[in-house]
Amino acid sequence: MDTDRQEIIIKGINASPGICIGKAYLVDSEGVEVIEKYRIEANDLSKEIKRFKAAVKKAKDELRKIVEQSPEELQHAHILETHMALLKDKMLYGRTIETVKHESVNAEWALKKVVSNLIEVFQTMTDPYLKERSTDVVQVADSIMQNLVGAKKVNIAAIDKRVILVARDLSPAETSQINLERVMGFITDHGGKASHTGIIARSLEIPAVVGLQTAMASIRSDDLIIVDGNRGTVIIEPTEETLVKYEERKIDYEEYKAVITRESKIPAESEDGIRFAVMGNIELPEEVFALLNYGGDGIGLYRTEFQYFNRPEFPGEDELFDKYKDVVEVMDPKPVTIRTLDINGDKALTNQFDSEETNPALGLRAIRYCLKKPQVFIDQLRAILRAAAFGNVRILFPMISTYFEICEANRMLDEAAKSLEKDGLPYNRDIEVGAMIEVPSAVIMADVIADNVDYFSIGTNDLIQYSLAIDRGNEQVAHLFQPLDPAIIRMLKHVADVAREKDIKIFMCGEMAGTPHHIPLLLGLGMDELSMNPQTIPDIKRVIRSLKVEDTRSFLEEVLKQTTARDTFELIKDAYGGIFSEQLYSE
Ligand code: PEP
Ligand code: MG
């Protein structure tokens, strides 16, 4: 081994928390970079298509084998199922065959062309989750391409020593083969936080950093590396000093995690005896298990739009009902807040090519879309009301910006109930109905909206975007995206006052609710429930347990006197700094 290598630090995206230290294992799946184009004569076209079909079948068989070998309780089996469905998808499979036929070209070339067109469509999307769905298409296409050209494949399951995987990218199928006794963590050059590979890493609970870009170029097999999944950094050939520092951090983190996990089932009751519900936000039904493990008191936000992506048609009522019912039954008697479709804006559907808008954040998004496409809306409302017969369901309407919209949404809900009655299907209309407060006009009209709902749920991600005129996905203005901006705090105060006057409940499900140092302020405002990324639940519960609500009320008076986000932050630090975990919230 080369002993005079310098310590190198590379920065990526923290995809899964934790720290691991060990030897690098380079996963060098053969990429198929250069594809030649050649002509296929008319007589040979059907042979070429057969060759393509055989490559797809082989990819399918390989994937099926992995699914079958995966333990049943694996929470991410659905991701592999998605890949299985993509293998048969019209957009990929059908269009490749068409291209071979119509352009008389070889299957490799046709597949490459279809994939790059699809990627272009995905790249026009600003939502990071959706953008990363293009990764799924690429990974599935890669597995077909490797079969077409007969490239060598990696066998992660066969690794027989304790290592950290280093790869350009890992497909969900590859990640699923990770043997937790051998693989301590992994890092990749591609991918983002919302990539399926990241989701799997979180469900396996191993540290992972993705999107490093230069890991494959900078690391050699057997190099000693440190993966810090909390901060998203990787250190190659660390110095003795760094090694000692990270060994300590690793121990601290593991102790912290053990305590927090042990404590996660303890209710979030403040020092002065007030109990709060700490809920989780989910995007996929499979996340409910993690949510329960982290001690979630229910689902405060089920973002249902993810079932509408990556497919040529809208899901039907029965399919939606089955999915909701599964979640509701697992969670029962804990509440499940099902938010109706919040598409467009930054989450455009792949099957809606007619929906291009110059200003999508201000366009036909969420409830506006649903009111314009009543059949899509009614299908979903019926599915929700049917699932409500199986447990504790609340419904939540996104992006309400006028009184008219909440009235219309309620009217359609009644209509859905009536049609179910007529069809003789079991349902439950006696559920709580809520409006998301995430547009400034809804803040101002909160009093009239309150008369038409049982609760408010504040979506700070959009409320900040629309109030401070900050595109939530634009990194150029990310530094201005300040939940503690006094304008936001005054709006929250107004909504909280209205909720109290009107005697309805007030929840928060935007990211602001999952940040420990915001909690004193949110309790002071009188939030009844907070909902967040499931992994932060134990942390937030712990912060709540160390606060006195009465103190937070007088603290709020001080906060309301501040004129900048920075001053408010300093005030929080001075008053409560000691209770936040330095380990996670410094740096
Ligand atoms: C929000 O806007 O704060 C919210 C929770 O909804 P989403 O992030 O899905 O827009
Ligand atoms: Mg929102």
Side-chain angles (χ1 to χ4, degrees):
M1 197 170 82
D2 182 351
T3 46
D4 11 277
R5 287 197 70 194
Q6 297 263 318
E7 170 176 302
I8 304 173
I9 302 177
I10 49 178
K11 188 109 193 78
I13 298 160
N14 51 345
S16 179
I19 294 173
C20 61
I21 303 173
K23 291 269 173 75
Y25 183 99
L26 263 59
V27 180
D28 199 8
S29 60
E30 210 172 307
V32 187
E33 317 267 306
V34 187
I35 300 293
E36 292 201 21
K37 178 181 182 183
Y38 53 90
R39 196 180 150 71
I40 305 289
E41 296 307 327
N43 282 348
D44 294 328
L45 280 176
S46 59
K47 214 161 80 196
E48 186 65 4
I49 291 168
K50 250 197 205 148
R51 191 170 74 86
F52 173 69
K53 287 186 178 169
V56 174
K57 182 172 181 305
K58 187 159 178 238
K60 241 190 259 176
D61 291 345
E62 287 162 351
L63 195 55
R64 188 165 301 119
K65 216 162 119 199
I66 294 172
V67 174
E68 280 164 10
Q69 286 166 357
S70 302
E72 249 176 56
E73 66 280 10
L74 211 65
Q75 292 161 22
H76 53 260
H78 72 282
I79 296 175
L80 301 182
E81 298 296 343
T82 310
H83 278 208
M84 195 72 99
L86 270 174
L87 278 167
K88 291 181 265 177
D89 196 277
K90 261 192 267 167
M91 309 233 273
L92 192 69
Y93 181 81
R95 282 196 200 165
T96 305
I97 293 177
E98 268 167 37
T99 311
V100 171
K101 254 194 233 162
H102 297 148
E103 297 184 21
S104 303
V105 287
N106 54 318
E108 291 89 342
W109 184 262
L111 178 61
K112 188 180 161 193
K113 183 172 171 189
V114 168
V115 171
S116 32
N117 287 345
L118 284 175
I119 290 171
E120 251 172 56
V121 175
F122 278 106
Q123 290 309 316
T124 56
M125 299 171 184
T126 45
D127 180 71
Y129 182 89
L130 284 185
K131 231 178 190 165
E132 277 166 25
R133 297 289 67 80
S134 69
T135 317
D136 293 290
V137 175
V138 172
Q139 288 166 339
V140 165
D142 272 355
S143 65
I144 304 173
M145 192 69 91
Q146 283 172 332
N147 291 337
L148 279 172
V149 303
K152 115 177 168 238
K153 297 197 176 182
V154 265
N155 187 357
I156 289 178
I159 295 174
D160 57 359
K161 44 187 179 182
R162 292 275 292 162
V163 290
I164 298 171
L165 300 184
V166 182
R168 266 186 307 161
D169 196 8
L170 286 175
S171 68
E174 285 164 341
T175 320
S176 301
Q177 297 173 60
I178 284 179
N179 178 338
L180 289 176
E181 277 166 20
R182 314 250 166 72
V183 177
M184 296 181 256
F186 69 80
I187 61 176
T188 60
D189 279 339
H190 298 304
K193 210 170 194 143
S195 67
H196 277 144
T197 305
I199 295 174
I200 294 178
R202 288 193 288 280
S203 78
L204 293 174
E205 303 205 10
I206 55 173
V209 178
V210 300
L212 282 158
Q213 293 177 22
T214 56
M216 282 299 270
S218 330
I219 301 173
R220 295 179 299 198
S221 269
D222 286 339
D223 275 357
L224 183 66
I225 57 173
I226 300 174
V227 176
D228 183 346
N230 298 333
R231 292 174 180 78
T233 44
V234 172
I235 301 153
I236 308 161
E237 292 292 312
T239 61
E240 200 50 41
E241 197 187 330
T242 310
L243 204 54
V244 171
K245 184 168 98 186
Y246 270 90
E247 263 156 6
E248 278 166 12
R249 275 193 181 172
K250 182 173 183 296
I251 294 169
D252 286 354
Y253 178 76
E254 276 159 13
E255 277 173 1
Y256 167 78
K257 210 179 144 205
V259 172
I260 221 98
T261 314
R262 254 198 325 274
E263 287 178 353
S264 66
K265 302 286 185 299
I266 307 174
E269 188 173 307
S270 66
E271 272 193 355
D272 47 353
I274 302 179
R275 187 129 166 206
F276 292 87
V278 181
M279 321 274 280
N281 296 350
I282 64 162
E283 269 100 48
L284 302 165
E286 292 73 9
E287 288 171 280
V288 294
F289 302 104
L291 185 147
L292 290 169
N293 276 340
Y294 286 117
D297 296 315
I299 296 174
L301 174 64
Y302 178 4
R303 292 183 166 103
T304 55
E305 42 280 7
F306 292 87
Q307 254 138 278
Y308 292 70
F309 298 140
N310 283 338
R311 53 190 298 162
E313 295 113 22
F314 286 106
E317 173 190 322
D318 286 341
E319 180 187 334
L320 293 173
F321 162 64
D322 285 340
K323 286 267 170 9
Y324 302 158
K325 177 170 166 277
D326 283 351
V327 172
V328 169
E329 282 182 333
V330 173
M331 292 300 296
D332 194 46
K334 295 183 163 82
V336 177
T337 311
I338 306 182
R339 181 177 72 181
T340 60
L341 199 52
D342 182 1
I343 46 165
N344 285 347
D346 56 357
K347 291 178 265 188
L349 291 188
T350 38
N351 52 9
Q352 295 285 294
F353 293 106
D354 59 341
S355 69
E356 266 183 33
E357 296 178 298
T358 38
N359 205 346
L362 305 181
L364 194 64
R365 184 187 159 183
I367 196 73
R368 302 170 180 181
Y369 178 92
C370 287
L371 294 178
K372 209 143 180 208
K373 306 255 181 192
Q375 198 47 53
V376 174
F377 198 30
I378 288 282
D379 281 351
Q380 186 182 31
L381 295 175
R382 282 174 53 110
I384 296 172
L385 291 173
R386 285 172 64 191
F390 294 84
N392 186 354
V393 170
R394 301 165 176 164
I395 194 164
L396 179 58
F397 296 120
M399 220 192 153
I400 295 294
S401 57
T402 65
Y403 169 70
F404 172 77
E405 281 168 351
I406 191 66
C407 297
E408 274 302 285
N410 277 329
R411 188 185 63 73
M412 302 262 305
L413 189 62
D414 285 334
E415 201 179 291
K418 272 191 213 126
S419 68
L420 287 168
E421 184 68 40
K422 213 161 103 212
D423 294 347
L425 288 165
Y427 70 97
N428 178 11
R429 172 65 184 86
D430 190 19
I431 56 175
E432 291 188 339
V433 176
M436 284 202 69
I437 303 292
E438 50 182 349
V439 180
S441 58
V443 173
I444 294 170
M445 297 300 281
D447 55 338
V448 285
I449 295 174
D451 291 334
N452 292 274
V453 295
D454 302 296
Y455 66 96
F456 288 148
S457 186
I458 304 183
T460 48
N461 309 340
D462 278 313
L463 186 61
I464 297 169
Q465 150 161 284
Y466 293 125
S467 306
L468 299 179
I470 310 287
D471 176 350
R472 60 191 270 189
N474 180 348
E475 57 280 6
Q476 302 295 330
V477 285
H479 62 290
L480 300 172
F481 195 92
Q482 297 284 358
L484 294 180
D485 190 288
I488 302 300
I489 294 172
R490 287 180 193 198
M491 284 197 213
L492 299 182
K493 172 81 169 58
H494 175 72
V495 180
D497 288 346
V498 170
R500 203 167 308 116
E501 265 162 43
K502 296 282 182 178
D503 199 22
I504 64 167
K505 283 184 262 169
I506 180 164
F507 311 147
M508 180 178 281
C509 62
E511 293 299 307
M512 185 176 188
T515 312
H517 68 254
H518 295 152
I519 303 303
L521 166 63
L522 300 181
L523 296 199
L525 281 165
M527 294 293 147
D528 294 299
E529 231 178 72
L530 301 171
S531 192
M532 61 210 62
N533 168 344
Q535 287 187 45
T536 43
I537 292 173
D539 230 359
I540 299 295
K541 280 184 143 184
R542 182 180 232 215
V543 172
I544 294 175
R545 284 197 295 268
S546 56
L547 293 172
K548 275 206 179 93
V549 174
E550 206 180 316
D551 294 348
T552 64
R553 289 193 191 124
S554 41
F555 176 67
L556 178 69
E557 299 302 317
E558 288 310 304
V559 168
L560 289 168
K561 290 180 198 152
Q562 305 307 310
T563 48
T564 68
R566 170 111 318 255
D567 290 345
T568 308
F569 180 68
E570 290 302 326
L571 194 71
I572 295 173
K573 247 177 42 189
D574 289 346
Y576 293 102
I579 63 167
F580 306 122
S581 158
E582 283 305 312
Q583 166 80 9
L584 289 177
Y585 302 103
S586 58
E587 281 186 38

